[in-house]
Amino acid sequence: MDKTSSSRADGRAAHQLRPLNFELGIAPHASGSVLIATGNTRVLCGVMIEENVPRWMKEQRVSGGWLTAEYSMLPYSTLTRKPRDVSKGRLDGRSSEIQRLIGRSMRAVIDLEKLGPRTIWVDCDVLQADGGTRCAAITGASLAVTLACRRLVEEKKLAELPIKKLVAAVSVGVVDGVAVLDLNYEEDKEVSVDLNLVATEDGAFVEVQGAGEEATFTHDELLQMLSLGQKGIADLIAAQRQILAGATAPNE
Ligand code: UDP
């Protein structure tokens, strides 16, 4: 079932993630910031916390706090320059879809009641795009939000962390009927099925985005992709835990 390492251009086995790296504290004014690298994909994740909630929450007397996310690709993150949305006067449909996914993924693991009447802003900016930028954004945001919430606790604004679980995301694709983990852009273009999986540290799914590309997929292939993705997410969360254990100050 596993593809041999030689069958992927970068020599990875089917179940292998790209090299993963987290650099913390890259934006000192943010309450939590992480530059995540998964292979050549690099995404800046910065978190700021406002002591306020959106107007709709006040108007509808919804208690607790809120978390919202924004995603964009920096103009020089792609092979050919990608103009900023602001210069086109409208938010790109893809960016809008991705930032809503990031927001949902993070809200699934945040205890908004415990957060209190404040808003967590998660900003994800792609520095270098090589496939899987939405997944990297979610995996990086999970760490950046945790660091920002740790700071709230250290500042005694909260008694305990309002975070229920860690969350991470990974892509899985099917090439010649075989599932492969964490696709780079070259692979992303080749696959007949593309699936983005978001799941928590206990293996529970937050979102499954799967689609055939000029192709269909079978029940068995879906199951194969889900289990490969869950394994990848377990590896990502183990790496997040290791980083969090070593991060003693909020912005280190
Ligand atoms: N991409 C690009 N320009 C774009 C959109 C995508 O160069 O405007 C590339 C980029 O490498 C990205 C990949 O295509 O990572 C796959 O894009 P997709 O929309 O599937 O999102 P992602 O895999 O990044 O979450």
Side-chain angles (χ1 to χ4, degrees), residues 202-221:
D202 50 10
F205 298 122
V206 179
E207 189 139 340
V208 180
Q209 296 186 329
E213 191 59 60
E214 295 172 34
T216 56
F217 53 102
T218 64
H219 185 257
D220 277 355
E221 283 172 336

Side-chain angles (χ1 to χ4, degrees), residues 73 78 82 94 98 129-135 185 188 194:
M73 297 178 106
T78 47
K82 188 175 169 66
R94 174 180 172 275
I98 293 178
D130 186 31
T133 61
R134 76 193 66 198
C135 295
Y185 183 45
D188 189 79
D194 188 4

Side-chain angles (χ1 to χ4, degrees), residues 4 6 12-13 18 28 32 43 48 65-66 69 75 80 85 95 108 112 117 119 129 144 155 209 219 239 248 251:
T4 59
S6 59
R12 280 185 292 152
R18 288 179 281 180
V43 182
M48 286 190 124
W66 191 242
T80 52
D85 284 338
S95 300
L112 293 172
T119 301
E155 291 171 352
Q209 296 186 329
H219 185 257
T248 49
N251 258 337

